[in-house]
Amino acid sequence: GQNIDQPTEMTATEGAIVQINCTYQTSGFNGLFWYQQHAGEAPTFLSYNVLDGLEEKGRFSSFLSRSKGYSYLLLKELQMKDSASYLCAVWNTDKLIFGTGTRLQVFP
Amino acid sequence: GAVVSQHPSRVICKSGTSVKIECRSLDFQATTMFWYRQFPKKSLMLMATSNEGSKATYEQGVEKDKFLINHASLTLSTLTVTSAHPEDSSFYICSARGFEGLGNQPQHFGDGTRLSIL
């Protein structure tokens, strides 16, 4: 089967750094994606990793270790608007399979 | 950038009604379209994959006769929830993939449809 697991909820303080982990076991792997989703809206693309290592994009960075089936999304200098759900997704051959999702709440 | 339009954004209807949701790629040709369902505070669950001109491939546990998918052209796919019941109430999201390679974004998402069955 396909398993893509994330912590259900996380909280953090404005200005802090938070790391959201994702572990996966899938039958195929062609890349890992992170999306941000606010309630009632479509997911918004954040990052893409296909090779091991860290990809940095402004306040957001994403890391991948294919041998460990592991990724994380790092959010720096947290802002209140970063309160949202963060979805890890694996491109498995010909479709995108989403993880369980992490709801992040940022407090002042 | 690539734009996917999903319509309607919200539907409220009586139990037993059939509801059609449209997903259009506005500025690219979508070789493949995907339909997802999302329950409150849950992640996206892939329901089916449709390729233009062929039958949709449904994920395990998704009823084909309940959720009819048509992908008649390279810019339009429809999802029809037949004889909808309250348990079908959910947030439905479509996404579309074009001819381009995987690149940064394998799929472009519509804005979703909030379906409420009374």
Side-chain angles (χ1 to χ4, degrees):
Chain A
Q2 322 277 18
N3 291 307
I4 305 175
D5 295 315
Q6 301 176 234
T8 305
E9 292 185 347
M10 297 183 73
T11 59
T13 307
E14 197 174 13
I17 299 173
V18 71
Q19 177 174 312
I20 302 175
N21 295 325
C22 170
T23 57
Y24 64 90
Q25 284 182 304
T26 55
S27 56
F29 180 86
N30 297 97
L32 187 140
F33 299 80
W34 283 94
Y35 287 85
Q36 180 192 63
Q37 186 183 28
H38 287 98
E41 298 180 8
T44 303
F45 169 79
L46 292 177
S47 70
Y48 165 61
N49 295 71
V50 66
L51 299 175
D52 290 352
L54 188 69
E55 293 284 340
E56 297 188 75
K57 203 188 251 190
R59 293 191 299 117
F60 292 12
S61 303
S62 57
F63 171 83
L64 174 68
S65 169
R66 288 171 297 169
S67 61
K68 294 181 180 177
Y70 168 70
S71 173
Y72 67 72
L73 178 71
L74 194 71
L75 293 78
K76 303 176 187 175
E77 301 169 17
L78 280 173
Q79 301 174 10
M80 297 297 291
K81 67 178 182 179
D82 296 329
S83 292
S85 289
Y86 291 86
L87 310 176
C88 143
V90 170
W91 184 257
N92 184 352
T93 308
D94 58 356
K95 55 192 174 187
L96 201 58
I97 305 297
F98 282 86
T100 50
T102 300
R103 285 194 307 282
L104 173 66
Q105 198 157 6
V106 180
F107 292 99
Chain B
V3 177
V4 174
S5 172
Q6 187 173 341
H7 178 81
S9 59
R10 187 174 181 97
V11 181
I12 302 173
C13 58
K14 294 180 179 179
S15 186
T17 308
S18 290
V19 178
K20 180 184 281 188
I21 303 170
E22 290 188 350
C23 182
R24 293 180 184 274
S25 57
L26 298 186
D27 54 357
F28 68 101
Q29 292 184 320
T31 52
T32 308
M33 286 189 171
F34 305 87
W35 288 95
Y36 293 87
R37 182 174 182 176
Q38 187 174 32
F39 291 103
K41 299 186 178 181
K42 298 292 183 183
S43 190
L44 276 71
M45 181 191 76
L46 181 64
M47 298 174 66
T49 302
S50 74
N51 293 294
E52 182 265 339
S54 61
K55 289 185 179 179
T57 301
Y58 289 81
E59 295 298 304
Q60 194 171 6
V62 178
E63 298 177 59
K64 300 178 184 182
D65 295 333
K66 177 72 172 175
F67 300 100
L68 301 179
I69 292 172
N70 183 281
H71 191 165
S73 77
L74 283 172
T75 59
L76 173 65
S77 176
T78 60
L79 167 68
T80 302
V81 184
T82 60
S83 187
H85 292 286
E87 58 266 29
D88 299 323
S89 298
S90 193
F91 190 52
Y92 293 87
I93 305 177
C94 75
S95 68
R97 175 171 170 76
F99 289 106
E100 75 274 16
L102 193 60
N104 259 342
Q105 296 195 54
Q107 301 175 191
H108 304 283
F109 288 88
D111 287 334
T113 297
R114 173 75 57 195
L115 176 62
S116 300
I117 308 298
L118 305 177

